[in-house]
Amino acid sequence: MQMTLTLDACARCGQTILPGQPVKQTATVDIIGGQVVASTPRSWHLGGDCPGDTGDGKTLVPTE
């Protein structure tokens, strides 16, 4: 079975995260009215490849 390659965009800088680049992905999960609801997964560059990295070991909080 073939799958289409879809590239994620960084939630901080908006640039495409290329295959092989270190990445962090996260999604929130809530229980609303007894049902589990998950947000869309978000991705960020890791390893200093993103302008959102400050270089001092801290990262900026992603914006919506």
Side-chain angles (χ1 to χ4, degrees):
M1 173 161 95
Q2 285 186 324
M3 295 179 65
T4 303
L5 175 65
T6 56
L7 302 175
D8 291 333
C10 178
R12 287 191 284 206
C13 68
Q15 296 179 10
T16 302
I17 300 171
L18 301 175
Q21 285 184 322
V23 64
K24 176 182 179 180
Q25 292 183 318
T26 186
T28 58
V29 178
D30 294 312
I31 298 177
I32 301 174
Q35 294 184 342
V36 177
V37 180
S39 68
T40 304
R42 295 173 52 171
S43 304
W44 294 274
H45 286 107
L46 290 179
D49 293 333
C50 180
D53 293 327
T54 61
D56 60 358
K58 299 178 183 176
T59 55
L60 300 175
V61 177
T63 58
E64 293 295 324

